[in-house]
Amino acid sequence: MRMGLVTALLAAGMLLSDVASAQVPPDFGDGRIVAAREALRKGDRDTLERLALERSPHTLDAYVRYWQLANVLARPDTPPAHRLQAFLDEEAGNVLAERLRADWLRRLATDGDWARFAALYPGLRNPDRELRCTAWTARLMTGDGSALDEVAADWRTLDNAPAACDTVLRAAYASGKVDEDALWQRARRQADTRKPDDARLSWSWLPAEVAPAPADAEQALRSSSAWLDRLPANFAVTRSGRELVLAALTRIAWQDARLAHARLLQLQDRLGSEERGHIQAVIAMHAAIDQMPEAMAFYRALGNAELTPLQRAWRVRATLRAGDWAAVRTAIEAMPESERQQPEWTYWLGRAHAAAGRAGDAEALFTHIAAEPHFYGILAGEELGRPFTPPAANGLLPAARLDEAENDPGLRRALALYRLDMRTEAVREWIWALRERDEQFRLAAAHIALRNEIYDRAINTAELSNPRANYALRFLTPYRDLIEPQVHRQGLDLSWVYGLMRQESRFVVPARSSAGAQGLMQVMPATGKWVAGKIGLRGYHHGLLSDPGTNVLLGTSYMRLILDGLDNHPVLASAGYNAGPGRARRWRDDKPLEGAIYTETIPFDETRDYVKKVMANAIIYGAMLERQPQSLKTKLGVIGPRPASE
């Protein structure tokens, strides 16, 4: 039947390009696309090749050919360069050409065909870190030594680089483009991460007479306290000995900053002043992250020691936690201008000026960010006496721009992929179609996404179009018939529930996180089981998390349960929803804390960002749903002190 339609179109005198753009029923040829995707998944080479030969006018026809060529590249046979190049030429400018080029480049790197890699790479529009490093390797292998100059210039950004970068990183050091001290410093930074073993790789690049012994390196990183207990008296004679001590103290600080400080006091006389400053800064930062009252004293003891951006940020947070506004001002003003201009530090510096009675300085800083619709922009507006008001309605979009977006090949492919539940491919197509497009085209695309109930694309695309407008698209309220009854039943704030759900899933029903959270409210299977038991939901099984109604029931019930256990405070409950109620409790202080300060000093980067966004979302939703001004400062309130029993 499919070939019969194509034959009929050709018989009517239509060109092949006309066939491709002809109005074809949405499900015409869908079975072939799905079958090809399944053949790729199963590694069914024969079926995939047969389907790739059957050209059709289907919107996704190129995907079948891409999957077949990607399958060829994954096999040990020599890939047919002429067919690969033909596909790149035919699909030039499309996301599939970009993907095939990247696949081909990885295969060329595996084969060591550096000359062809170097020739093919410039056509790649958006290389990832792995391919960027591989391109440096290709240039190095083909005699272009300037690649090492670029590696040296980017040295400090490559601490957590993929393994593909190892060749050029090591070559940059071996060639003298990067000196030995820079390599030691890199290992120090790597020791202070969740992947401290990366430091061992950096140490291994040093000359054998300088590098730490492998056994000592492993013990210093993995059994730090025990290794320090066996430390020889003459450890300070060599740099490797001192650097391993710094690494061991760093790893101890990750677990217990107080213990690390105590161990440092025993060893500091045998360290140089720069080395002492380095490890004292590490310990001070971890004390601040762990919300220890000693953090302020640790930072004060640093003097003029050089700090990293992260250490400077936690210095400010320690001063906020302590309520020392003079120290807040000092810490922020010590930051480089680029950091000081970030919204959070602009706001807190304004607060520090206000606390000291410098109203004019404070007002200038608040005014600088008050128009921004984010956590600190909303708070700054309130400091100026301007609570967040209901946003203006969107302006009309010219019909011609909607037509343009509707007929855009990339968006049409994305919609076809969504129809076939190929979400990963659909998102890639959608994002690619928006590249280098103007505001109105992106806004039109957001409307198309909404019309097709692809809520996450509608929100993200409207935000990409203009993050200061398009509120009706950026803050959607889908599934209200499911959500509102549960919100009323649980006695929750609808704007807060929508604010949390928007952050959790962007209203994608099949959303699933890497940790296993599922559905509209991203409920973890274990949490779902626990909540089901609490509310008496019979017949619960994990598969029910994919049902929107059950997911909302469990998610809103969980919000109620954690609210009840966390002082009925939305900031604590938001933190608890993301990181667990126990952590949210532990992050309180011995004294009452302003809600904004509690939020800014949450130790986990993900949770801190999450709570800010959920609470800002809640204010915007509140203004839109209630059509009245909203106060974020009131919503944040005050976090009560940690009970003495805890």
Side-chain angles (χ1 to χ4, degrees):
M1 183 181 295
R2 175 177 57 79
M3 289 308 295
L5 174 60
V6 174
T7 303
L9 291 170
L10 289 171
M14 298 181 71
L15 299 174
L16 284 174
S17 59
D18 295 323
V19 173
S21 62
Q23 293 298 314
V24 179
D27 61 349
F28 176 79
D30 280 359
R32 171 172 166 267
I33 306 301
V34 173
R37 188 74 173 89
E38 184 66 9
L40 177 70
R41 188 185 69 81
K42 292 181 176 180
D44 185 348
R45 174 180 179 178
D46 292 340
T47 298
L48 195 54
E49 290 185 348
R50 174 177 58 78
L51 293 171
L53 291 173
E54 298 178 15
R55 301 289 288 268
S56 85
H58 196 284
T59 305
L60 301 178
D61 180 71
Y63 273 82
V64 181
R65 289 177 286 125
Y66 164 72
W67 291 328
Q68 190 271 328
L69 291 171
N71 179 265
V72 169
L73 284 168
R75 298 197 302 263
D77 319 14
T78 302
H82 66 286
R83 288 177 58 197
L84 296 169
Q85 187 60 54
F87 185 90
L88 295 184
D89 294 340
E90 187 173 344
E91 297 297 322
N94 293 339
V95 69
L96 288 182
E98 176 83 354
R99 291 178 64 188
L100 186 72
R101 188 181 296 270
D103 295 339
W104 193 2
L105 286 166
R106 290 188 178 92
R107 174 58 188 269
L108 292 171
T110 299
D111 294 346
D113 191 344
W114 299 116
R116 180 168 283 177
F117 184 106
L120 189 66
Y121 179 79
L124 195 66
R125 303 286 294 277
N126 191 28
D128 59 19
R129 296 180 79 201
E130 178 185 355
L131 280 172
R132 186 171 168 230
C133 280
T134 309
W136 279 329
T137 301
R139 288 168 56 190
L140 183 64
M141 295 298 185
T142 54
D144 183 357
S146 67
L148 297 184
D149 294 320
E150 295 175 20
V151 174
D154 287 355
W155 181 260
R156 289 195 62 132
T157 70
L158 296 168
D159 290 348
N160 300 314
C165 300
D166 291 350
T167 298
V168 288
L169 287 167
R170 185 167 189 168
Y173 166 66
S175 68
K177 300 288 185 181
V178 174
D179 63 22
E180 187 173 295
D181 184 65
L183 189 57
W184 285 115
Q185 295 291 339
R186 180 176 196 258
R188 285 184 186 181
R189 295 190 296 271
Q190 291 170 321
D192 195 11
T193 67
R194 296 188 182 279
K195 296 172 57 182
D197 279 350
D198 288 351
R200 293 167 61 191
L201 177 63
S202 294
W203 288 330
S204 73
W205 296 344
L206 292 160
E209 64 274 14
V210 173
D216 279 337
E218 181 175 2
Q219 289 298 307
L221 293 171
R222 292 183 176 273
S223 305
S224 307
S225 286
W227 182 81
L228 287 177
D229 289 339
R230 300 191 301 271
L231 193 65
N234 66 344
F235 79 87
V237 172
T238 64
R239 179 159 188 177
S240 65
R242 299 192 302 276
E243 293 290 344
L244 285 183
V245 165
L246 298 180
L249 291 171
T250 296
R251 298 317 301 168
I252 294 171
W254 269 73
Q255 303 300 322
D256 187 339
R258 290 190 187 95
L259 176 59
H261 184 255
R263 301 297 303 248
L264 173 61
L265 292 178
Q266 299 169 352
L267 300 168
Q268 62 182 356
D269 291 343
R270 285 177 281 176
L271 298 173
S273 60
E274 185 275 335
E275 294 161 342
R276 288 196 301 273
H278 164 77
I279 192 59
Q280 286 170 341
V282 169
I283 292 170
M285 182 186 76
H286 285 285
I289 292 172
D290 292 342
Q291 301 173 339
M292 294 179 178
E294 301 97 319
M296 282 276 288
F298 290 167
Y299 269 112
R300 280 196 297 268
L302 289 174
N304 296 321
E306 184 178 352
L307 303 180
T308 67
L310 197 58
Q311 290 165 354
R312 287 191 287 267
W314 278 104
R315 182 180 184 180
V316 179
R317 294 185 182 116
T319 61
L320 285 169
R321 191 93 176 174
D324 187 338
W325 289 106
V328 170
R329 178 190 173 193
T330 299
I332 296 175
E333 289 182 339
M335 290 176 159
E337 181 70 17
S338 59
E339 292 173 28
R340 211 162 53 238
Q341 291 292 327
Q342 294 172 14
E344 57 265 51
W345 311 134
T346 298
Y347 173 77
W348 290 119
L349 182 56
R351 288 286 304 277
H353 282 309
R358 290 183 287 272
D361 292 337
E363 183 176 343
L365 289 165
F366 294 143
T367 301
H368 185 64
I369 61 170
E372 301 294 328
H374 52 58
F375 185 81
Y376 285 113
I378 295 171
L379 284 175
E382 287 194 53
E383 295 294 336
L384 296 171
R386 303 199 297 258
F388 188 83
T389 56
N394 295 338
L396 293 176
L397 186 68
R401 300 312 303 270
L402 276 171
D403 291 342
E404 179 188 356
E406 284 180 337
N407 292 313
D408 181 79
L411 294 182
R412 290 178 65 187
R413 285 192 294 271
L415 292 174
L417 289 162
Y418 275 115
R419 187 180 72 243
L420 298 180
D421 200 27
M422 298 180 185
R423 295 190 64 89
T424 300
E425 292 90 344
V427 170
R428 286 196 189 105
E429 276 284 4
W430 191 274
I431 292 172
W432 190 264
L434 299 177
R435 294 169 64 256
E436 302 172 4
R437 305 306 290 262
D438 63 23
E439 181 176 332
Q440 284 197 341
F441 179 88
R442 291 171 173 174
L443 185 57
H447 280 287
I448 291 169
L450 178 60
R451 187 185 304 162
N452 286 274
E453 299 183 353
I454 310 171
Y455 300 120
D456 61 320
R457 289 302 100 202
I459 292 169
N460 291 3
T461 305
E463 198 149 287
L464 181 65
S465 171
N466 187 341
R468 298 177 184 84
N470 308 318
Y471 284 87
L473 281 167
R474 290 170 50 222
F475 292 88
L476 299 172
T477 55
Y479 305 107
R480 196 161 175 175
D481 58 330
L482 296 177
I483 296 166
E484 198 157 16
Q486 295 299 338
V487 166
H488 291 321
R489 189 172 292 118
Q490 300 294 344
L492 300 172
D493 175 8
L494 181 62
S495 62
W496 178 50
V497 173
Y498 263 117
L500 184 143
M501 195 180 300
R502 180 184 190 270
Q503 191 59 30
E504 286 287 350
S505 70
R506 287 292 200 269
F507 310 110
V508 176
V509 170
R512 183 186 292 265
S513 76
S514 58
Q518 297 178 43
L520 289 171
M521 300 196 71
Q522 289 292 278
V523 179
M524 292 288 290
T527 301
K529 181 179 181 180
W530 179 77
V531 174
K534 285 285 186 181
I535 65 175
L537 178 64
R538 296 183 177 180
Y540 170 80
H541 56 86
H542 295 341
L544 289 174
L545 291 178
S546 60
D547 171 65
T550 306
N551 194 279
V552 170
L553 167 64
L554 293 170
T556 53
S557 298
Y558 185 49
M559 290 177 79
R560 181 72 263 169
L561 289 166
I562 60 177
L563 260 178
D564 290 343
L566 291 169
D567 304 338
N568 207 41
H569 202 301
V571 171
L572 288 173
S574 297
Y577 198 95
N578 180 262
R583 291 191 178 102
R585 290 190 192 93
R586 289 197 298 273
W587 294 336
R588 293 176 295 187
D589 204 346
D590 295 332
K591 60 183 183 302
L593 266 187
E594 185 182 326
I597 293 177
Y598 173 93
T599 301
E600 184 56 60
T601 58
I602 289 173
F604 295 175
D605 295 344
E606 177 191 322
T607 305
R608 184 169 61 254
D609 182 64
Y610 174 88
V611 174
K612 290 178 184 179
K613 288 178 177 174
V614 167
M615 298 308 297
N617 289 348
I619 291 303
I620 296 171
Y621 271 118
M624 296 178 67
L625 292 168
E626 299 172 25
R627 306 310 301 169
Q628 293 181 1
Q630 302 286 312
S631 169
L632 177 56
K633 199 163 188 176
T634 300
K635 184 85 75 173
L636 295 173
V638 174
I639 307 296
R642 183 189 304 114
S645 60
E646 294 184 18

